[in-house]
Amino acid sequence: MGDRVKGKVALVTGGASGIGRGCAEKLAAEGAFVVVTDIQDALGQEVVAGIQKAGGKAEYVRQDVTQEDVWADVVAGIKSRHGRLDILVNNAGIGIGGSILDMTLEAWRRQTAINLDGVFLGVKHSIPLMRTSGDGGSIVNISSVAGLKGSANLAGYCATKGGVRLFTKAVALECANAKDGIRVNSVHPGLIETPIWLTVQEALTPGANAPPDLDAMSAMAVPLGVKGLPEDIANGVLWLSSDEARYVTGMEMVIDGGLMLR
Ligand code: NAI
């Protein structure tokens, strides 16, 4: 167990799977109390059990990030149980692929509700508690390389992730102006092996019913030649969450094996 975020209380949305899970485990391994939230209850509880078994501190709370009243309850619960919130990782997200001509308004709105509304609500409801915690705070919004450049068949997803990128910078300035000590940054993962690729692939190639070959894709597209793992993103999130990044706000942290270089 390390102590890079010792004594801090962290909330990780979408923490039951993939990158969120990696972030929850990493923050707990470095001494934070981690509130893992998701809509996949069994998996979320598994993540918490694993953290506790490893000697870390965590709890699972069910949370649909699109619901404002749920956000209010989750933050109120953290305030009453822990008295503070130091780290918010807005990670929950989905990817809906396919031609924009085939995208229904319902699907567009569902993706935007999770990927963008969820980030807005998290920021809005967490900042007041962070401000009363006394030591500032760190908000990390998970965007994507798809928030930095366009990607065919992912236009709706790109729109949400580009929105997260600029929303992050605007809130970073607002917090800096308020001198509340809260830093706000975005993280832009490249090709990371997680279950999200199952759903994206189903939309891109209906019936494929299998994740794309990330090894082959990475060999072609990623300068470093290999796919990323949730831990690669978690390492960046840990640093942004820790006091080591005390002078860093409004930054785009790209973790992509060089994908954006081409
Ligand atoms: P994942 O599918 O493994 O995890 C996403 C989690 O979010 C799941 O546990 C899911 O249950 C949860 N979630 C979905 N809707 C929710 C809702 N309404 N309320 C609460 N939780 C909800 O996918 P992954 O890859 O770990 O994705 C995490 C974040 O990383 C997402 O924002 C995604 O867009 C982003 N990302 C992922 C990349 C990749 O290559 N895997 C690349 C760039 C960004």
Side-chain angles (χ1 to χ4, degrees), residues 162-220:
V164 168
R165 170 179 174 268
L166 270 186
F167 176 73
T168 299
K169 293 180 192 305
V171 177
L173 279 173
E174 187 171 329
C175 289
N177 286 345
K179 304 210 180 316
D180 59 12
I182 298 173
R183 298 177 293 99
V184 192
N185 295 286
S186 57
V187 169
H188 302 259
L191 297 175
I192 312 299
E193 185 172 49
T194 75
I196 206 172
W197 286 99
L198 270 172
T199 54
V200 173
Q201 178 63 10
E202 178 53 24
L204 291 174
T205 319
N209 201 24
D213 185 341
L214 278 195
D215 291 315
M217 278 168 68
S218 305
M220 266 178 22

Side-chain angles (χ1 to χ4, degrees), residues 20-45:
R21 176 183 189 145
C23 292
E25 290 171 349
K26 181 69 68 178
L27 290 166
E30 290 293 334
F33 186 105
V34 182
V35 182
V36 175
T37 78
D38 207 297
I39 49 175
Q40 300 195 73
D41 298 336
L43 278 182
Q45 277 150 4

Side-chain angles (χ1 to χ4, degrees), residues 11 13 35 37 61-81 85 88 117-118 120-129:
L11 166 56
T13 69
V35 182
T37 78
V61 177
R62 179 178 178 80
Q63 178 190 26
D64 178 343
V65 295
T66 67
Q67 303 301 310
E68 182 154 26
D69 54 341
V70 175
W71 265 109
D73 286 350
V74 167
V75 173
I78 291 172
K79 185 178 182 181
S80 73
R81 290 191 304 280
L85 179 63
L88 168 65
D117 298 1
F120 151 64
L121 292 172
V123 164
K124 176 183 169 183
H125 285 276
S126 298
I127 284 178
L129 179 55

